[in-house]
Structure formats: C-alpha cells, structure tokens
Amino acid sequence: MRVDIISIFPDYLAPLDLSLMGKAPVALTVHDLRTWTSDVHRTVDDTPYGGGPGMVMRPEPWGLALDSVLSPGARLLVPSPAGAPFTQKMAHALAEEEHLVFACGRYEGIDQRVIEHYAATEVSLGDYVLFGGEVAVLVMMEAIVRLLPGVLGNASSLDDESHAHGLLETPVYTKPASWREHEVPAVLRSGDHGKVARWRRDQALLRTAARRPDLLAALDPATLDKRDIAL
Ligand code: ADE
C-alpha cells in the first residue's frame, strides 16, 4: 500500500516510523504543505469569507500539493470533525486500497472547494474537536495498517477483537489465577471449550448492552443464536 500525508506539521507524523508501523508493507511519504507555497512567508491560510473567527486554509497550495501527490485511483481522505464517522468497517475497506492520501487541515479547516474538486472523503474520529487532522491520521493509519496481511502475528486475534462482529470484546485474564483476592472466572479454568466459548459470547453481549446499546440495536438479528442470553 502507498500512503501520502500532507500537513503543515510533518513532524507530528513521526510516530508512524515507530514499531509495527515501521515494519508494515506501506510506502509512506509525509509532505510539508508549505513546499507548495511561493510567497516569502509561505502562507497557507487566510480570513474566512462571510466573517467569523479563525483562519481557513487557502485552496492554491492544496491544489498544487494534491495535483502532485494524487495518483489515478487514489483515495483522498480529509480528517474533520464534520466528517462521516471513522469505523472498523471503514478501516477494513481502506486497507484494501492501493493508494491513500491524507490531507491534514488546521485552523478552521480547508477551503471547501478543495474537498469538492478532488471528491475527498471527510472522516471524523468522534464528536470532539482536535487542533488538526494529524493525530486523527495517526489513529486511522494504526487502525488500517494492522489489518494489512502479515502485520499482526496472530491473524485470528482480528476475529475476536472489539467491533469484529459488531460486539465489544470479552474481558481477558492471565496468570495468576488469584490476584489480591480477585479470582479469574472459574469457567475459564474449567478446560471445557464449549462452556468457555458460551461464556465469552455472553460477556460480549452483556458488555455491549451495558456500554454500547447503540451497537446492540444495530446488530443483525441473524447473527444472534437462540442460546444467546436475553438482554
Ligand atoms: N480534526 C479536528 N477534529 C477532528 C475529529 N474529531 N476527527 C477527525 N479530524 C479532526
């Protein structure tokens, strides 16, 4: 997979070179948007039409940057609190792409004509506002890259994890069996694989019902089996 990230703070993206990310099958290039400015101050922003607080990123540097970086068929993503929610499903879809380009906005955002001209997809991490798109790109890249073939040691862990089947993950335990008078649930030590699987499924359902009733409501009823506990 090829990934290009355009930002006025390329140093923010340095963690992408660390650990797993550094070993992933990704050809990553981080670009400084100011490379595509021509004035002495390397200006990337201006006041908003119609008034209001803050500054807006000018379209010209973005146009030059994107003309230079986008390939035919590349997918352009713009992190924004006004975007569509970024989900595990979206991460799976993006992990299939050949070329991803992330355009990181700052200030009040990028001039909307840039988004429209390049048919960019605006994506939001959640209902809160960050200073800019850089941290959102770190999050999205980690979610996408760990789905690429060969990145995770144990691919079956992808199947069990939170959101894999629209449910939250079950609680997990390791040794010792007793710690500060807290015991590991006996069923997990029973050696009965059927009972363990049933318990895990129940825990996932109970947790999802308690913490994320929205996920439970969105669950396809066909994925429930008749032994699932009534919630
Ligand atoms: N940029 C600023 N806030 C953001 C958010 N919540 N998600 C994605 N990008 C953002």
Side-chain angles (χ1 to χ4, degrees):
M1 173 186 275
R2 179 178 159 201
V3 176
D4 289 272
I5 305 171
I6 309 167
S7 162
I8 57 166
F9 295 119
D11 291 348
Y12 241 107
L13 285 313
L16 289 174
D17 291 331
L18 292 175
S19 76
L20 247 195
M21 296 295 293
K23 296 183 204 98
V26 173
L28 172 74
T29 314
V30 179
H31 308 267
D32 186 344
L33 178 68
R34 292 190 203 275
T35 311
W36 289 281
T37 56
S38 46
D39 62 309
V40 57
H41 299 295
R42 308 180 87 199
T43 310
V44 293
D45 61 342
D46 209 330
T47 53
Y49 271 113
M55 301 290 270
V56 175
M57 295 190 103
R58 293 171 60 97
E60 304 96 318
W62 279 112
L64 295 173
L66 292 167
D67 288 348
S68 145
V69 166
L70 284 169
S71 63
R75 184 81 191 270
L76 175 60
L77 297 153
V78 177
S80 158
F86 180 72
T87 59
Q88 188 67 16
K89 188 173 168 204
M90 201 184 284
H92 276 280
L94 294 173
E96 302 290 321
E97 297 279 349
E98 297 260 305
H99 185 193
L100 298 178
V101 178
F102 291 95
C104 299
R106 282 261 148 184
Y107 319 118
E108 298 304 309
I110 303 174
D111 187 302
Q112 192 62 28
R113 291 168 294 178
V114 176
I115 315 293
E116 285 162 19
H117 183 78
Y118 294 98
T121 307
E122 292 177 275
V123 268
S124 170
L125 285 197
D127 295 337
Y128 43 81
V129 181
L130 306 169
F131 277 134
E134 287 79 5
V135 170
V137 171
L138 292 178
V139 172
M140 290 190 272
M141 278 296 289
E142 190 156 318
I144 295 163
V145 164
R146 64 191 287 285
L147 300 175
L148 297 176
V151 171
L152 281 193
N154 179 4
S156 75
S157 59
L158 282 180
D159 203 50
D160 272 357
E161 66 188 12
S162 284
H163 304 293
H165 301 288
L167 293 176
L168 302 181
E169 205 169 339
T170 66
V172 293
Y173 303 88
T174 187
K175 289 173 255 329
S178 178
W179 175 76
R180 299 189 183 180
E181 295 176 23
H182 300 278
E183 312 301 323
V184 170
V187 58
L188 296 180
R189 292 180 289 134
S190 68
D192 183 332
H193 298 301
K195 272 196 185 150
V196 168
R198 186 66 258 161
W199 182 87
R200 287 193 170 141
R201 172 90 184 159
D202 289 345
Q203 293 302 311
L205 286 162
L206 286 167
R207 245 188 184 189
T208 309
R211 298 176 184 181
R212 294 293 305 275
D214 57 313
L215 291 181
L216 206 62
L219 213 59
D220 176 0
T223 66
L224 293 170
D225 77 61
K226 53 185 181 302
R227 286 164 307 149
D228 280 339
I229 48 177
L231 296 165

